Amino acid sequence: MIRLESFVRGRWVAGAAAGRPFCDPTTGEVLGHVDSTGVDCAEALRHAREAGGPALAALTFEARGALLGRIADVLAAERDRWFDIARRNSGNTPRDAAIDVDGAIGTLRYYARLAKTLGPGRSIVEPGTDRLAKGDTFEARHVWTTRPGAAVLINAFNFPAWGLWEKAAVALLAGAPIVAKPASGTAWLAEAMVRAVDAAAILPEGALSLVCGAAEGLLDAVGPFDAVAFTGSAATGRMIRAHEGVLAAAPRLGIEADSVNVALLAASAGPGSDAFERLLEQATAAVSVKAGQLCTNIRRILVPRPLREAFVEALAARIDGLKIGDPGLDGIDVGPLVDEKQLRAAFAGLAVLARETRVVRGGGIPAHVVGADPGKGAFLAPTLLVAADGRDLEAVHDVEVFGPVVTVLGYDDTPEAARLAARGEGSLAASVYADDPSEAAALVAALAPLHGRVLAVDGVVGRGHTGHAIVMPMCVHGGPGRAGGGEELGGLRGLRFHMQRTAVQGSPAMLAALTAEAATATL
Ligand code: NAP
């Protein structure tokens, strides 16, 4: 039986209590336990600030980037092992695991490359000088420097690899030491990866700590220069915002929460059109890839009312072709949810959606599961719901069923589509499918203020896009309102979260001396 440990003050330590079990969602078998009772989170934070922070701050951006590259190499060397853990503990098919594991490695490599563009500096100066006096004796420049705090990274269960390393890549490049807390249910992969990175002795002492378990006392110990980056449900996000330790210390706080993301088919995109086909592909991915457990996943599909039945029929046919089963077997499209608790939560959400929708496909435990017992594994059938006409709907815009579930809704015109999208109260990602660029642009303009990212697929983009749900490190990730209001990644933009922008006022000579070795960039 596996017993996960925490990595604090450069040592691996076990929790003092029996802890919480984590399982194989395909079989229900308990794989091990995770516990952080007795792990001193305050000490972990202090060590990060006092040992890891100065060690990282002494390195140039280029040198920090080299560390990221070496971490990526270490992780890439054991890719098969990570895929195996992802299959056993997260129920991932190889395609699902690739999104998490290769996504992590790719993001680290991207930031390693980006570091080279910053060169040998340790601070960043924004282009442009503001003159503050009549003559040229007194000016201002805006300078970004590393804050003397730690990055507290709290992650959701669905991306144990990418969730950790996408945040870590940005924090380390900014010079911030890390105390990471993976979600307990899937912490095994994060723990194994951090062990591999520790064994390779890449990072300076205190630059990376990991707390596996509930991390009692972590938020009580945050300080004013720390940066807390949380990913998870809106409910936990609310709790963290209101936490006394967070309120008292006022650290930087980034919340990446859930959202009820929309995909939108343009009025002119009938059956057989490119736009119609591309949306069908993405909707099929939404009810199969990672069993729908992506925060950016399509949840609502807005289709012009006259096209609704044709779209539902075509999507139902695609769903009928999906193979559900043991993610370790060849040709499986849909694995299980991550555990029994998530399955119960999905059923509870479906029961609420059922009041406003008609079930076209799925809605429960699948009748046929290849190579596994549906009574033991956490399998949920790919589910297609259609919203009933003539009802003032609430739940479809509000309830995120974290599984392979989409709801199709009809709309009459662009203003109505925008109004329906806005009912999600702010989302991570939207996608628009239109063959005409002007029509697409009008829809994108309506959706942009409500979303952190909008994907527009037209005839030119065709199949050559990255997908509705896939987060790219060069694009910002996060969304307004319910989605948490956070912003991660986005190339150099991500560094803002861990660095301080200061308006420095003084003589041109002083400013020149201060910024002589700084990288010039706009964050
Ligand atoms: P969750 O239950 O909110 O947990 C998220 C993280 O918060 C876990 O590490 C959890 O630890 C931790 N946590 C819970 N209570 C805490 C406390 N009192 N102090 C410190 N940490 C605490 O979410 P989840 O079930 O893991 O993930 C699913 C949700 O995440 C979905 O709603 C999904 O939409 C959202 N999500 C959002 C994004 C995004 O980028 N916006 C990405 C992925 C997922 P334990 O596991 O130990 O309880």
Side-chain angles (χ1 to χ4, degrees):
M1 193 73 59
I2 301 156
R3 192 166 170 71
L4 301 185
E5 294 184 336
S6 296
F7 184 59
V8 170
R9 285 186 60 89
R11 283 193 306 275
W12 288 94
V13 288
R20 185 173 143 180
F22 59 93
C23 66
D24 180 338
T26 305
T27 60
E29 175 203 354
V30 173
L31 298 168
H33 290 83
V34 53
D35 178 59
S36 62
T37 309
V39 174
D40 192 338
C41 291
E43 187 53 24
L45 276 171
R46 196 189 58 74
H47 186 63
R49 291 182 206 117
E50 293 180 4
L56 287 170
L59 301 176
T60 63
F61 288 118
E62 273 176 347
R64 293 176 207 156
L67 299 181
L68 300 181
R70 288 176 61 200
I71 294 173
D73 290 343
V74 163
L75 297 181
E78 293 201 77
R79 184 173 177 268
D80 291 349
R81 181 150 77 97
W82 316 137
F83 271 50
D84 189 55
I85 295 175
R87 174 183 60 78
R88 291 180 64 198
N89 186 201
S90 293
N92 280 185
T93 65
R95 179 175 64 168
D96 300 340
I99 296 173
D100 192 22
V101 173
D102 293 344
I105 296 167
T107 302
L108 283 160
R109 287 207 201 288
Y110 168 78
Y111 274 97
R113 284 195 303 276
L114 201 57
K116 291 188 182 147
T117 69
L118 293 175
R122 291 177 186 78
S123 60
I124 295 171
V125 61
E126 295 186 352
T129 301
D130 294 294
R131 190 182 276 194
L132 302 177
K134 277 195 181 143
D136 55 4
T137 53
F138 183 47
E139 297 176 340
R141 296 207 72 176
H142 286 79
V143 181
W144 291 90
T145 50
T146 299
R147 287 153 55 99
V152 177
L153 313 181
I154 302 175
N155 277 314
F157 73 80
N158 56 330
F159 281 108
W162 176 80
L164 168 62
W165 296 112
E166 59 96 12
K167 285 185 169 71
V170 180
L172 292 172
L173 180 56
I178 292 162
V179 177
K181 184 208 138 8
S184 295
T186 57
W188 183 16
L189 182 53
E191 197 243 35
M193 287 178 149
V194 171
R195 272 189 196 277
V197 170
D198 171 42
I202 297 168
L203 292 169
E205 162 94 23
L208 175 60
S209 305
L210 184 79
V211 181
C212 294
E216 295 89 350
L218 180 63
L219 293 174
D220 296 309
V222 294
F225 297 112
D226 294 337
V228 179
F230 164 81
T231 295
S233 62
T236 310
R238 275 194 296 278
M239 185 280 295
I240 288 179
R241 272 188 213 286
H243 190 280
E244 270 189 32
V246 172
L247 289 175
R252 287 256 170 89
L253 181 59
I255 303 272
E256 298 287 346
D258 58 36
S259 61
V260 192
N261 309 292
V262 294
L264 210 165
L265 185 66
S268 63
S273 66
D274 277 349
F276 193 94
E277 292 302 311
R278 298 294 85 78
L279 174 55
L280 268 182
E281 287 160 7
Q282 290 302 300
T284 310
V287 291
S288 54
V289 175
K290 279 183 81 59
Q293 299 165 108
L294 299 101
C295 53
T296 44
N297 216 34
I298 298 171
R299 306 287 172 201
R300 297 174 291 163
I301 302 177
L302 304 182
V303 173
R305 229 171 270 279
L307 299 177
R308 195 178 57 174
E309 284 317 308
F311 183 80
V312 167
E313 207 176 292
L315 182 54
R318 299 260 179 143
I319 289 175
D320 291 341
L322 294 173
K323 253 196 204 171
I324 309 155
D326 178 343
L329 300 176
D330 282 345
I332 295 299
D333 301 297
V334 194
L337 298 192
V338 77
D339 58 24
E340 179 64 30
K341 188 174 151 226
Q342 283 300 314
L343 186 62
R344 281 199 306 273
F347 282 142
L350 281 172
V352 178
L353 290 185
R355 293 182 207 141
E356 296 181 351
T357 60
R358 171 167 61 86
V359 180
V360 178
R361 287 293 183 275
I365 293 173
H368 305 291
V369 174
V370 182
D373 179 349
K376 289 190 176 151
F379 291 95
L380 176 61
T383 297
L384 170 57
L385 307 173
V386 181
D389 275 332
R391 301 262 301 268
D392 189 21
L393 307 180
E394 297 290 338
V396 292
H397 304 296
D398 181 43
V399 176
E400 179 209 46
V401 177
F402 208 56
V405 179
V406 292
T407 302
V408 176
L409 299 133
Y411 75 88
D412 285 327
D413 51 25
T414 302
E416 193 196 9
R419 190 177 57 75
L420 291 174
R423 296 283 304 280
E425 299 193 334
S427 299
L428 294 166
S431 53
V432 167
Y433 304 80
D435 292 323
D436 172 30
S438 310
E439 193 180 10
L443 293 168
V444 169
L447 296 181
L450 317 169
H451 296 88
R453 177 168 61 85
V454 183
L455 161 72
V457 180
D458 60 17
V460 174
V461 171
R463 279 206 163 105
H465 63 83
T466 44
H468 171 108
I470 300 298
V471 175
M472 300 304 291
M474 47 296 278
C475 298
V476 291
H477 169 58
R482 173 191 174 144
E487 199 177 77
E488 290 183 345
L489 298 171
L492 293 178
R493 296 171 190 90
L495 298 182
R496 289 182 201 169
F497 189 61
H498 302 286
M499 299 183 79
Q500 179 64 42
R501 175 163 47 193
T502 306
V504 183
Q505 303 167 320
S507 70
M510 187 283 290
L511 289 169
L514 178 74
T515 58
E517 291 186 346
T520 303
T522 305
L523 301 194

